[in-house]
Amino acid sequence: MPDIAVARRVDAQRLRGPLYAAICELSPSQAETLILHAIDDLTHKEIAALLDIKVGTVKSRLSRAKAQIRTCWDTETHGEIGPDGRPTVKPAEGWTPDGTQNGSDGNT
């Protein structure tokens, strides 16, 4: 049985393509707000100050971004339950299981 850490790294690699595709579907303002919150770990108040918008606007953008990501994610990644009890994923159309775009490394 593979090490859980290795399995999680493989899962994360496989999720990269579908997640990137889902983020690309967001409006620029939603993507920016989501990245500031999820990646840069800024609070709603910090994002509002940085972007010179109201906190309510930050919350709205995040809510819409998360809803859209969920929709894209559900459409692109539903798979069967894997041996570790977690869902497996299928790559989004145009993406390979390792998270690269078809043809991006010269192979199709």
Side-chain angles (χ1 to χ4, degrees):
M1 184 164 164
D3 182 63
I4 296 297
V6 171
R8 287 187 178 157
R9 281 195 302 267
V10 170
D11 281 349
Q13 182 70 19
R14 290 177 53 190
L15 296 174
R16 186 175 67 183
L19 182 58
Y20 177 77
I23 290 172
C24 286
E25 294 293 320
L26 298 175
S27 72
S29 62
Q30 288 174 343
E32 177 180 43
T33 304
L34 180 66
I35 289 168
L36 288 170
H37 184 66
I39 306 289
D40 294 335
D41 203 27
L42 298 181
T43 66
H44 295 151
K45 189 175 180 179
E46 290 169 331
I47 295 168
L50 182 67
L51 300 179
D52 195 28
I53 58 177
K54 295 180 181 181
V55 172
T57 302
V58 172
K59 291 179 180 180
S60 177
R61 287 180 184 178
L62 285 174
S63 177
R64 289 182 181 141
K66 289 175 185 178
Q68 190 167 337
I69 293 273
R70 265 187 230 104
T71 299
C72 292
W73 189 262
D74 289 346
T75 301
E76 298 296 333
T77 64
H78 265 71
E80 297 181 23
I81 300 299
D84 63 355
R86 297 182 319 151
T88 60
V89 296
K90 65 175 188 161
E93 186 174 330
W95 295 87
T96 63
D98 70 353
T100 58
Q101 280 191 292
N102 286 337
S104 63
D105 63 354
N107 300 319
T108 54

